[in-house]
Amino acid sequence: MTVLEGADGAPPGAGRVVLVGMGPGDPGLLTLRAAAELARADTVIVSREHCPPEILSHCRPDVEIVDSAAGDPALLAERAAEAGRRVVRLLQGDPGLGCGLAAEGGALAKAGVPFEIVPGVSAVTGVPGYAGIPLTDAAHREVRVVDASQGGVDWERFASPDATLVVIGAEGAVAEVCKGLVAAGRPDSTPAAMTSLGTTTEQETVVSTLHKLASDTKGMEAPALIIVGDVVNRRDELSWFETKPLFGWRVLVPRTKEQAASLSDQLRGYGAVPDEVPTISVEPPRTPQQMERAVKGLVTGRYEWVVFTSTNAVKAVREKFVDYGLDARAFAGLKVAAVGEQTAAALVEFGIQPDLTPSGEQSGEGLAREWPPYDADLDPINRVLLPRADIATDVLIARLTELGWECEDVTAYRTVRAAPPPEPIRNAIKGGGFDAVLFTSSSTVKNLIGIAGKPHKVTVIAVIGPQTAKTAEEYGLRVDVMADKPSVSALAAALAEYGAKRRAAQIEAGDPLRKPSQMRRGARRRR
């Protein structure tokens, strides 16, 4: 009988272990191979305290997550593999550099457990890259890495001024490291930098010299990494991460989960940490008959125009089409209007190119101002379908009626106030834990305050347009930022511009760089 073997030499169905590096902190630095292994894993062994949730989002819903604090990780992996499970052991950074490859891999080899290694981005290279410090340049071509976590380093071996030195595991011994290097012959004026919580939105870098680094970095959080050498001087021109306009800002995004996704992605690009808090819940109409008649009329040619005033309306109609086995071809011969860019994008994704989108204000009023009057010679039908929310305003209908159109206002979905967010979120809103909040409509202002309370006075208030600003002010909020046009993309860009100007003003005044949340009484001050 022939025994078949798997790709790794083990019999099919036999357990195996993959030692995977998950990078130094930023979940975006996870490799494609690592993500693929997580997707196949039956068991994942990881320090839950040090693992971003985005990393584990690559796993199957039924995966078993084992906290490495529950016992010897190598033994946990061995037992799971012996039970026939595909095991991923997640390690910070790269498994072979400052991690557990030697110990855990050696234990697995001794036990005869098949294993593989998936390298990850190491803190040794990743953190300096995010700090804007190149480890080599034309004048410095050698890099030396020292693990100082166990002490007893012979600093004489690392005294060469031509080599860049990267020291890991020295968070609690910065003074000893600097004194050791100076005693070994490095000038105390040698540039030195320390970066804590590298590649995360809490990253902080202090540039100093061997003489002053210990005092300048007092109180910095672990994990941290020290870089010594002239390359540190390049940070002024190469710093890109910590100089993002909203770097580290915690921004509240009070929209539904689906609506918040693209806005949150844009905010992350500016360096912010978005927190999505739904203020409304979108639900189907209480009775479906109205929408069923509207879809039937749409297919049979009852309408000349269909007006979409929100992405939720597009979604509601699209879902009805799926129920009936229809697609975008049913809109052939119809004219379609969209209230703004986001709604138009949702229609395009559906396969429909809008015929009319307001060029100015993106609202029902803006659309009404550009709506053509009914012309019996050009328009064989004068009916307009408006699939909307149950609480939609009548401004658009009133204007269309004045222009000679007959409007059929159909409830496509209901909006109800969402449940209050968890207590820590409510406390952060009222206590100044957020740096900014984005209001994308008047209803988000009313609903957020209704379910969570009024934002703290240090929180930057950004609104999408004049009407939302008016509502915010009526509720006693100070409006700091308003988009130059009513779109969520423009709102995020306006907040980023505000953040950039605020940062530049602090630098010009020689003040410490502090986020809005750090301006409240009792907040921790960063250097």
Side-chain angles (χ1 to χ4, degrees):
M1 181 176 71
T2 302
V3 178
L4 298 175
E5 292 188 343
D8 55 5
R16 59 193 284 276
V17 178
V18 187
L19 300 166
V20 175
M22 62 179 177
D26 181 352
L29 294 179
L30 190 74
T31 67
L32 291 174
R33 174 71 190 284
E37 290 295 345
L38 285 169
R40 289 193 288 264
D42 301 310
T43 299
V44 174
I45 300 171
V46 65
S47 169
R48 294 299 295 261
E49 181 184 357
H50 300 108
C51 181
E54 296 92 334
I55 297 286
L56 298 179
S57 69
H58 295 280
C59 299
R60 301 194 316 263
D62 62 341
V63 72
E64 176 191 29
I65 307 293
V66 178
D67 195 330
S68 58
D72 179 356
L75 187 57
L76 293 170
E78 179 186 336
R79 288 172 179 168
E82 287 174 347
R85 299 180 70 79
R86 191 180 185 101
V87 183
V88 166
R89 166 64 170 126
L90 280 175
L91 296 157
Q92 280 202 294
D94 178 77
L97 192 53
C99 278
L101 173 59
E104 294 186 33
L108 292 170
K110 186 175 181 180
V113 177
F115 67 90
E116 294 183 16
I117 299 166
V118 176
V121 175
S122 168
V124 170
T125 55
V127 172
Y130 270 54
I133 299 174
L135 296 181
T136 62
D137 59 17
H140 306 86
R141 302 172 63 182
E142 182 181 359
V143 180
R144 298 184 182 183
V145 180
V146 185
D147 183 350
S149 59
Q150 304 300 315
V153 178
D154 179 6
W155 294 111
E156 294 281 350
R157 297 171 54 199
F158 304 101
S160 170
D162 296 325
T164 299
L165 192 60
V166 179
V167 186
I168 58 177
E171 295 91 341
V174 180
E176 289 83 345
V177 170
C178 295
K179 287 177 183 176
L181 286 169
V182 171
R186 286 228 179 185
D188 63 3
S189 60
T190 302
M194 185 165 169
T195 298
S196 70
L197 304 173
T199 78
T200 75
T201 50
E202 292 296 311
Q203 175 175 306
E204 181 179 9
T205 300
V206 171
V207 173
S208 184
T209 62
L210 286 179
H211 176 60
K212 297 180 62 180
L213 186 66
S215 59
D216 288 347
T217 59
K218 196 169 292 183
M220 284 182 73
E221 297 183 47
L225 175 148
I226 298 172
I227 307 166
V228 180
D230 291 341
V231 292
V232 169
N233 292 328
R234 302 295 299 273
R235 174 174 157 80
D236 283 345
E237 62 177 313
L238 298 178
S239 179
W240 63 274
F241 187 51
E242 292 170 64
T243 54
K244 287 190 172 189
L246 299 177
F247 178 74
W249 282 40
R250 190 180 179 193
V251 179
L252 181 66
V253 183
R255 312 189 80 205
T256 63
K257 202 79 172 174
E258 295 80 7
Q259 292 172 321
S262 61
L263 177 55
S264 293
D265 286 344
Q266 187 176 354
L267 288 169
R268 288 188 192 96
Y270 295 133
V273 185
D275 235 318
E276 297 166 3
V277 177
T279 56
I280 62 168
S281 177
V282 177
E283 299 182 2
R286 287 192 174 88
T287 56
Q289 290 83 357
Q290 211 183 19
M291 269 292 282
E292 289 170 357
R293 286 195 299 270
V295 171
K296 183 179 178 181
L298 189 152
V299 174
T300 57
R302 177 175 173 79
Y303 307 107
E304 180 76 10
W305 282 90
V306 182
V307 180
F308 291 95
T309 56
S310 70
T311 56
N312 286 325
V314 177
K315 182 181 178 184
V317 170
R318 191 170 183 174
E319 287 174 351
K320 275 294 177 189
F321 269 42
V322 171
D323 290 344
Y324 293 136
L326 299 170
D327 58 29
R329 288 174 293 184
F331 281 85
L334 277 164
K335 295 173 186 173
V336 178
V339 77
E341 292 175 1
Q342 272 69 40
T343 305
L347 283 167
V348 170
E349 187 184 345
F350 187 12
I352 301 165
Q353 185 65 47
D355 300 281
L356 178 62
T357 303
S359 56
E361 180 184 342
Q362 297 186 4
S363 65
E365 292 88 338
L367 186 60
R369 281 195 286 272
E370 299 186 28
W371 196 272
Y374 171 67
D375 187 326
D377 294 328
L378 298 176
D379 305 305
I381 303 167
N382 77 330
R383 261 180 233 102
V384 178
L385 173 64
L386 290 95
R388 306 194 297 168
D390 56 334
I391 57 171
T393 58
D394 294 329
V395 175
L396 181 58
I397 290 179
R399 175 60 179 154
L400 266 57
T401 302
E402 288 176 7
L403 292 169
W405 296 95
E406 178 186 334
C407 298
E408 288 191 9
D409 190 14
V410 174
T411 299
Y413 60 95
R414 292 184 300 125
T415 56
V416 298
R417 182 176 284 180
E423 185 178 0
I425 295 289
R426 299 199 304 272
N427 292 341
I429 291 171
K430 292 179 285 190
F434 283 99
D435 297 289
V437 57
L438 300 186
F439 287 119
T440 55
S441 66
S442 291
S443 64
T444 58
V445 178
K446 299 172 186 175
N447 289 340
L448 181 72
I449 292 174
I451 65 175
K454 189 184 295 186
H456 193 278
K457 62 182 180 181
V458 301
T459 306
V460 174
I461 305 297
V463 300
I464 201 166
Q467 188 58 49
T468 306
K470 181 181 177 184
T471 303
E473 288 164 353
E474 287 172 354
Y475 277 82
L477 299 178
R478 176 202 68 252
V479 175
D480 302 291
V481 178
M482 186 164 67
D484 57 3
K485 62 179 181 177
S487 77
V488 293
S489 177
L491 178 57
L495 180 63
E497 183 179 357
Y498 175 91
K501 288 180 178 177
R502 186 178 186 279
R503 185 177 189 278
Q506 289 178 335
I507 292 172
E508 186 176 351
D511 295 334
L513 294 178
R514 298 172 66 196
K515 300 180 294 185
S517 61
Q518 292 170 325
M519 304 300 287
R520 71 191 193 279
R521 186 175 298 172
R524 183 176 72 89
R525 298 192 179 197
R526 295 172 76 100
R527 277 160 297 277

